C-alpha cells in the first residue's frame, strides 16, 4: 500500500502497546478463588479481554464470551476485581516487542501521538508511567475520560480536536474490531496489530487499512 501521511496518530493500549493479560489473569483467578470458584487461566482470559474490565468480570463469572452472570454475583465480584487490579496493574505486564522502537520512530518523525484506551484512568496512567512511555503522548484518553468510549468515535474526534487535526488526516493504531469501528466512524485511517485481543478472530476480517506484526513495520508504512 502507499505510505500513510497522517498529521496525528492515536494508539490503543491493551493488546496494541502492552500485553496486560498476565496481570488480568492473575486478578481473574484470585477473584474466582475468593468467590470459591475455579480459576479460569490465561488462555481463556486472552479471548475475553478487549471490552473493558466490567465485561471481563462478567465473562469470567460465566466462563464464556457471551451472556450475563447473575447480577448479585457480579455486584459481589466486581469490587474484588478492582481491588486486586489496583495492586496488580503492571506487576506482570510488559510492552510488546518493537513497541518502544516504533514509538521513538513516530516521535522522532514529528507525529503528535495520543493514547486512547477503554481502560479506566486510574489504571491507564500508572501503567503508562511504569512502562516508561507516558511522555510519548500529548494526550491520554481513558475509558472514563469522556461520556462515551470506543467503539464510539467520540474519543478519537476529541483527540483530533485537541491536536487541531482533521479526522481524515488522522490515524488510529489498534488491535480489535472496536478500534476499527471507532476509526471508521470517526473518519480515521486505521492500522491493526496481528497479536492483540480480538476474541480469537483474525483482525484482517475487519478490513483495516494495514496490518502489522510489530511496531517496527511502521517505518515502512508511515512517511517520515
Amino acid at each position: 500500500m502507499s505510505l500513510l501521511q497522517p498529521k496525528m496518530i492515536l494508539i490503543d493500549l491493551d493488546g496494541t502497546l502492552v500485553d496486560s493479560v498476565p496481570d488480568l489473569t492473575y486478578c481473574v483467578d484470585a477473584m474466582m478463588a475468593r468467590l470459591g470458584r475455579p480459576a479460569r487461566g490465561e488462555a481463556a482470559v486472552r479471548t475475553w479481554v478487549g471490552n473493558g474490565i466490567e465485561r471481563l468480570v462478567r465473562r469470567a463469572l460465566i466462563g464464556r464470551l457471551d451472556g450475563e452472570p447473575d447480577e448479585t454475583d457480579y455486584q459481589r465480584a466486581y469490587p474484588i476485581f478492582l481491588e486486586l487490579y489496583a495492586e496488580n496493574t503492571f506487576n506482570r505486564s510488559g510492552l510488546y516487542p518493537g513497541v518502544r522502537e516504533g514509538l521513538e520512530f513516530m516521535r522522532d518523525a514529528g507525529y503528535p501521538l495520543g493514547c486512547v484506551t477503554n481502560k479506566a484512568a486510574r489504571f491507564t496512567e500508572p501503567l503508562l508511567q511504569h512502562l516508561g512511555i507516558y511522555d510519548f503522548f500529548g494526550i491520554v484518553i481513558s475509558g472514563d475520560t469522556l461520556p462515551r468510549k470506543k467503539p464510539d468515535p467520540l474519543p478519537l474526534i476529541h483527540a483530533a480536536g485537541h491536536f487541531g487535526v482533521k479526522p481524515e488526516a488522522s490515524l488510529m493504531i489498534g488491535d480489535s474490531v472496536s478500534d476499527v469501528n471507532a476509526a471508521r466512524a470517526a473518519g480515521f485511517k486505521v492500522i491493526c496489530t496481528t497479536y492483540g485481543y480480538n476474541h480469537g478472530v483474525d483482525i484482517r476480517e475487519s478490513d483495516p487499512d494495514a496490518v502489522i506484526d510489530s511496531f517496527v513495520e511502521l517505518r515502512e508504512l508511515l512517511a517520515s
Side-chain angles (χ1 to χ4, degrees), residues 180 184 190 192 202-211:
V180 175
R184 295 296 181 224
V190 60
C192 287
D202 189 331
I203 193 60
R204 291 174 183 85
E205 292 183 19
S206 299
D207 201 28
D209 295 292
V211 174

Side-chain angles (χ1 to χ4, degrees), residues 19-27 87-94:
D19 185 7
S20 49
V21 163
D23 276 308
L24 291 169
T25 301
Y26 173 86
C27 295
E87 300 293 323
N88 293 276
T89 310
F90 46 70
N91 295 351
R92 302 157 191 82
S93 301

Side-chain angles (χ1 to χ4, degrees), residues 3 6 8 32 37-38 40 55 66 69 79 89-90 102 104-105 107 127 130 145 158 165 184 191 198:
L3 283 175
M8 174 203 65
M32 296 297 282
R37 300 188 187 187
R40 296 304 190 190
R55 284 301 324 156
D66 297 311
T89 310
F90 46 70
E104 288 170 353
F105 160 72
R107 178 195 63 197
L127 181 58
H130 175 78
T145 303
H158 179 86
V165 174
R184 295 296 181 224
I191 294 174
N198 196 40

Side-chain angles (χ1 to χ4, degrees), residues 91-177:
N91 295 351
R92 302 157 191 82
S93 301
L95 297 178
Y96 286 104
V99 162
R100 190 174 298 280
E101 296 89 330
L103 288 172
E104 288 170 353
F105 160 72
M106 289 183 280
R107 178 195 63 197
D108 295 347
Y111 291 109
L113 301 176
C115 182
V116 177
T117 175
N118 284 353
K119 189 190 287 291
R122 64 171 158 151
F123 302 127
T124 298
E125 296 183 12
L127 181 58
L128 291 170
Q129 298 268 17
H130 175 78
L131 294 168
I133 59 172
Y134 184 84
D135 292 339
F136 281 101
F137 300 109
I139 189 171
V140 175
I141 300 176
S142 300
D144 49 0
T145 303
L146 299 167
R148 298 187 301 281
K149 56 190 175 185
K150 300 178 296 182
D152 193 279
L154 177 65
L156 282 65
I157 301 286
H158 179 86
H162 170 82
F163 287 116
V165 174
K166 289 188 169 68
E168 59 268 26
S170 304
L171 172 68
M172 178 79 206
I173 302 175
D175 66 306
S176 72
V177 63

